[in-house]
Amino acid sequence: MKRYVIYGLVGVLFLLWNSCKHQAKTEVVSSELIEENIKEPTIVEQITVDSVWTANGVAFDLKTVGNQQYVAYFDRDRMMTVASRQLDSDEWVKKTLPNQLIWDSHNYVSLGIDEMGYIHVSGNMHVDPLAYFKSEKPWDIKTMVALNTMVGDDETRVTYPKFFNDKSGKLLFSYRSGSCGNGNILINQFLPEEQQWKRYLNKPLFEGVEKDDDRAAYHKWIKDSKGDFHFLWMWRWTPKVETSHNLAYAKTSDLVNWVNGAGETVELPFKPEDEAVMVDATPSKGGLHNSRYKLFLTPQDEPIVGYIKYDEQGLTQLYLAKLVEGKWISKQISNWDFRWQFIDGGAFMTIGGKFDFVGVSNDNILAIDWETEKGESGRYTIDLETLEHLSGTAEIKLKYPKDLKRPLTKREGMLLRMAYDKGKSNQENIKYVLKWEAKHGGFRQHAPEVIPEGPISELILLKIQ
């Protein structure tokens, strides 16, 4: 196993040079001053986990609990694999599961850990029967076995598996049953004492299946400082990304009782035209993209929504939305001069416009990094009170170092992939991130007749302080 200590002097000099180079392109006049006041953590250690197959990129998973760390991924032979280690050791214990990755960028792998320490893994599904593995002993990946069932119902056409824990620690599992335009988001709960799953909600979370109305919701969520869930989702009519529409938001403490942005009670299942939860009622073919929207929480747990859509001239732009007296107010942030062309399901599209929330300063200034398919990039600094552009200084504390996103290699056609830790270690002020490279994902119908054996990428774990 490789283990390296990362020394930062050369990296810092490179970042300062690279930062100055990119700021010539930014639309914020004095962003170089803001750049100087960013408090940045550092990468203090790099540990090799394994080597992985990367011809068709899918997501991996990482979770740390106390002194134990677990990684779920597909190895160089495309086999679903779980690796574990103690934080004070370089040595990984590995378990290869009887499940080989299908050529489909939907087929990521998800890992969960319940209150008693049993390990759960699911993945490699795009409208496929449930693939599910569980350890027979707590904390022991060597005892993992294939079960391939949970509650027994709605498990033959599964996509988007996700393990997560609520504020009490109980393990939940969400997935889509059905297909795009004909599927519901369901949630199960694991009962560790009984060693069985039960349906957690008696209704779907999102329901897009009605007479003459077949739609699916694409959602994401983050937890606030109290452990409450903030959900953001977008509807889509068909497998074509251009049919994305109606961006919506709701909040819940337990996934049973929900409120909208105004704090008003809203009921499940959420439907496509629910005005009570609507953030932006952009119609189909209005420039929304179901993978190009983000939810950010301020230090006060106030939700900020960023998303891409067309402006009045039909050009692609970045928008921000925030709650003002219980109502969503949206404002155009960018001034880009191109129109992102949507192609079918999105596998062969350009990058369009991309953005990342960098962080927020103590005086309520939000920093957003952006880039476009035209090769432009920069940083916006936004007053969160008014959503107006600002110039001047802002002291922003980053969660992760800027060089975290530096490519591993210079190989053509490879994209950087990362998985952020879903758990928490017993080490103070330490974070972990998985990092590897992979090619752009493609769907099953695009698979070559013969699946290539490579390229292969190193899968590394970064320790950040």
Side-chain angles (χ1 to χ4, degrees):
M1 301 296 169
K2 299 178 183 177
R3 186 178 181 120
Y4 306 100
V5 176
I6 307 301
Y7 298 98
L9 180 58
V10 174
V12 168
L13 292 174
F14 172 83
L15 284 170
L16 289 173
W17 171 81
N18 196 49
S19 171
C20 294
K21 180 181 70 172
H22 283 293
Q23 284 180 26
K25 300 177 181 178
T26 186
E27 296 179 23
V28 182
V29 173
S30 60
S31 63
E32 70 277 1
L33 299 177
I34 295 164
E35 198 73 20
E36 293 175 353
N37 287 276
I38 288 180
K39 296 180 178 180
E40 183 181 357
T42 58
I43 299 170
V44 295
E45 201 168 26
Q46 175 176 305
I47 303 170
T48 297
V49 180
D50 206 339
S51 56
V52 296
W53 180 86
T54 62
N56 189 18
V58 297
F60 301 156
D61 217 348
L62 167 67
K63 183 156 188 174
T64 307
V65 180
N67 192 46
Q68 293 289 123
Q69 195 162 59
Y70 298 87
V71 178
Y73 61 98
F74 295 98
D75 68 10
R76 65 184 299 128
D77 298 316
R78 296 186 287 126
M79 299 303 296
M80 188 181 292
T81 306
V82 186
S84 67
R85 72 167 186 130
Q86 294 187 344
L87 295 184
D88 56 0
S89 172
D90 295 356
E91 299 299 318
W92 292 94
V93 177
K94 297 177 183 177
K95 174 72 173 182
T96 302
L97 304 178
N99 187 291
Q100 189 174 41
L101 178 62
I102 299 171
W103 185 284
D104 196 315
S105 57
H106 291 79
N107 290 35
Y108 61 82
V109 60
S110 179
L111 180 148
I113 302 176
D114 63 47
E115 304 100 306
M116 295 180 64
Y118 290 93
I119 314 302
H120 304 254
V121 173
S122 180
N124 196 24
M125 299 169 295
H126 186 194
V127 197
D128 292 307
L130 177 65
Y132 166 56
F133 303 84
K134 187 185 79 68
S135 67
E136 294 183 311
K137 296 180 181 180
W139 312 110
D140 187 0
I141 65 171
K142 285 293 187 181
T143 67
M144 297 199 72
V145 296
L147 299 179
N148 297 332
T149 186
M150 287 186 176
V151 302
D153 297 324
D154 298 306
E155 295 177 353
T156 60
R157 307 177 76 217
V158 178
T159 313
Y160 305 125
K162 188 178 185 68
F163 292 103
F164 60 102
N165 301 85
D166 70 1
K167 63 172 65 178
S168 70
K170 64 174 171 274
L171 181 66
L172 302 172
F173 178 74
S174 69
Y175 67 100
R176 186 184 74 190
S177 174
S179 61
C180 176
N182 188 25
N184 295 327
I185 303 298
L186 306 176
I187 298 180
N188 299 335
Q189 177 191 350
F190 186 68
L191 308 174
E193 296 286 352
E194 294 85 352
Q195 287 291 289
Q196 66 182 27
W197 290 88
K198 73 170 185 177
R199 188 76 79 209
Y200 183 62
L201 300 178
N202 58 10
K203 296 179 180 179
L205 197 59
F206 306 97
E207 186 175 63
V209 181
E210 303 174 18
K211 183 178 180 180
D212 301 323
D213 187 355
D214 294 340
R215 286 186 254 188
Y218 293 81
H219 71 283
K220 57 185 65 178
W221 55 263
I222 52 178
K223 286 183 182 180
D224 64 21
S225 61
K226 303 180 185 65
D228 293 339
F229 297 94
H230 296 250
F231 271 71
L232 184 68
W233 67 94
M234 186 182 296
W235 294 91
R236 204 169 86 181
W237 278 106
T238 73
K240 293 187 176 182
V241 293
E242 65 180 2
T243 64
S244 300
H245 61 286
N246 288 4
L247 186 64
Y249 164 91
K251 176 183 173 183
T252 178
S253 61
D254 56 8
L255 301 172
V256 176
N257 302 289
W258 294 77
V259 296
N260 63 8
E264 302 164 338
T265 299
V266 288
E267 301 293 335
L268 298 179
F270 295 120
K271 302 290 184 66
E273 307 300 337
D274 285 342
E275 293 186 3
V277 296
M278 200 76 72
V279 176
D280 190 317
T282 296
S284 176
K285 300 184 180 181
L288 292 176
H289 189 301
N290 61 278
S291 70
R292 205 56 59 84
Y293 67 105
K294 297 177 185 290
L295 180 60
F296 177 84
L297 296 181
T298 70
Q300 294 75 39
D301 290 332
E302 298 170 344
I304 303 295
V305 176
Y307 57 104
I308 300 294
K309 71 170 185 176
Y310 295 147
D311 63 15
E312 293 181 354
Q313 286 73 45
L315 299 177
T316 294
Q317 304 293 355
L318 168 63
Y319 288 78
L320 290 183
K322 62 171 289 187
L323 287 165
V324 178
E325 297 181 352
K327 295 184 178 180
W328 287 99
I329 304 299
S330 179
K331 184 177 179 61
Q332 180 180 326
I333 300 301
S334 65
N335 188 27
W336 301 333
D337 60 351
F338 72 96
R339 179 183 174 92
W340 195 13
Q341 298 297 327
F342 289 0
I343 303 172
D344 194 40
F348 303 106
M349 291 173 56
T350 61
I351 70 164
K354 298 175 65 176
F355 67 96
D356 285 303
F357 291 117
V358 177
V360 115
S361 68
N362 291 332
D363 50 354
N364 224 28
I365 298 174
L366 174 66
I368 306 171
D369 282 349
W370 59 271
E371 62 176 305
T372 74
E373 62 184 38
K374 297 181 66 178
E376 301 168 324
S377 63
R379 171 166 291 160
Y380 298 128
T381 50
I382 305 298
D383 183 342
L384 280 178
E385 188 68 29
T386 64
L387 298 186
E388 296 289 341
H389 287 271
L390 289 176
S391 60
T393 60
E395 191 171 276
I396 296 172
K397 184 177 181 180
L398 298 179
K399 286 186 177 181
Y400 299 97
K402 288 174 286 185
D403 59 347
L404 179 67
K405 296 185 178 181
R406 183 182 299 174
L408 290 176
T409 70
K410 296 181 179 180
R411 290 185 293 176
E412 186 175 354
M414 302 294 280
L415 303 174
L416 189 62
R417 306 277 177 151
M418 287 182 289
Y420 295 88
D421 196 351
K422 295 196 307 186
K424 186 176 182 181
S425 76
N426 56 10
Q427 301 169 317
E428 189 175 355
N429 299 322
I430 295 294
K431 297 183 179 69
Y432 290 93
V433 178
L434 272 182
K435 186 173 178 178
W436 70 102
E437 288 185 332
K439 290 191 173 183
H440 192 285
F443 304 154
R444 197 169 310 179
Q445 60 267 32
H446 306 143
E449 292 185 8
V450 178
I451 303 299
E453 295 184 359
I456 303 298
S457 172
E458 185 180 27
L459 177 64
I460 62 174
L461 178 73
L462 301 178
K463 181 179 179 180
I464 298 167
Q465 188 173 25

